[in-house]
Amino acid sequence: MTFCVPCLFGLEGLAADELRRMGVESVTAQNGRVLFEGGWNELAAANLRLRTGERVLLQLGQFTAFTFDELFEGVKALPWEDFLTVDAEFPVKGYSLDSQLASIPDCQKIVKKAVVERLKTRYRTEWFKEDGKRFRIQFA
């Protein structure tokens, strides 16, 4: 699995070094975040021992979208049913930097709609109560 650790600008190198000292392999520092590969054990270790990252996120997928249609289809293609239950609450947040898709509220609505459309086929329901466990979805 690929994990993403958002961190303050300038701390990416320190976060990457911390992960490497934990024995995590395939660590890549980028602007504002660090990506690493691993399993549930590496996730737990990073959550418990990482001091310079804000949080540890599971990167469910990555794709390029130049239009809202491409965003919808890309999100819909991801395996949401592997992580979200039929009663899951899944608020959507995110950001857009140097993108043609600059409207964050529109992106949030499209991501939410795409996830719902994907889950409809799995759970065969038209309405999701979202009164269960909360799973935050973040896009960039």
Side-chain angles (χ1 to χ4, degrees):
M1 293 181 282
T2 301
F3 298 101
C4 177
V5 180
C7 50
L8 295 173
F9 288 106
L11 296 181
E12 302 92 340
L14 293 172
D17 287 344
E18 280 187 304
L19 287 164
R20 288 185 190 105
R21 281 194 300 274
M22 287 182 223
V24 176
E25 296 181 14
S26 195
V27 178
T28 306
Q30 298 179 349
N31 283 339
R33 64 183 175 184
V34 176
L35 301 175
F36 70 94
E37 301 285 328
W40 298 117
N41 289 338
E42 287 78 15
L43 170 65
N47 268 318
L48 291 172
R49 298 172 44 200
L50 195 60
R51 296 172 296 157
T52 54
E54 294 178 22
R55 59 184 49 92
V56 182
L57 307 171
L58 171 64
Q59 183 174 312
L60 192 55
Q62 181 175 340
F63 58 90
T64 302
F66 294 104
T67 66
F68 289 121
D69 288 335
E70 290 175 344
L71 176 62
F72 179 86
E73 293 302 327
V75 172
K76 188 178 175 188
L78 298 173
W80 297 103
E81 65 275 5
D82 293 348
F83 299 94
L84 300 176
T85 59
V86 69
D87 64 342
E89 178 185 356
F90 48 99
V92 177
K93 293 188 176 189
Y95 61 91
S96 175
L97 298 174
D98 298 325
S99 173
Q100 295 173 342
L101 306 179
S103 173
I104 301 302
D106 287 340
C107 290
Q108 288 173 304
K109 290 174 193 170
I110 288 167
V111 169
K112 181 80 168 194
K113 184 176 180 177
V115 173
V116 167
E117 290 301 316
R118 174 75 184 220
L119 293 178
K120 278 183 183 180
T121 60
R122 167 62 185 247
Y123 296 119
R124 292 172 175 57
T125 184
E126 290 294 317
W127 182 257
F128 295 92
K129 288 192 204 177
E130 295 193 53
D131 58 357
K133 236 181 198 181
R134 177 180 284 181
F135 296 86
R136 289 186 178 94
I137 296 174
Q138 183 174 327
F139 66 88

